[in-house]
Amino acid sequence: MLTSHPAIRASCVIATGPARAKDALRGFVVAAEGFAIDPDELRDHLKARLPAYMVPASLTVLDPLPLNPNGKVDR
């Protein structure tokens, strides 16, 4: 769902805590070329499309996502 925003080229969300914790999800995003990411705008975008428990508690901008030798996201 993060990549549905035009400013996002790639994204990854990981669970970092107990499933019922408010801050269990962490989002990592890579900006599309020519875009700057506003975390508040992105969070509002997600809140309009997802239930509250599916919106990441934090969003971190990376360039690029870390990949393992197989080309998969290195979580």
Side-chain angles (χ1 to χ4, degrees):
M1 189 50 96
L2 282 168
T3 53
S4 69
H5 192 281
I8 305 300
R9 181 180 58 163
S11 66
C12 178
V13 176
I14 61 170
T16 59
R20 296 187 185 269
K22 278 186 175 181
D23 60 351
L25 296 179
R26 304 278 182 226
F28 300 90
V29 296
V30 176
E33 192 170 327
F35 284 93
I37 297 175
D38 177 9
D40 293 328
E41 178 189 336
L42 184 54
R43 194 168 281 110
D44 291 342
H45 173 80
L46 293 174
K47 286 179 181 178
R49 290 161 177 76
L50 295 171
Y53 71 92
M54 293 180 74
V55 176
S58 70
L59 295 167
T60 302
V61 179
L62 300 174
D63 188 45
L65 288 175
L67 302 177
N68 65 25
N70 293 329
K72 296 179 182 177
V73 175
D74 189 1
R75 295 169 188 258

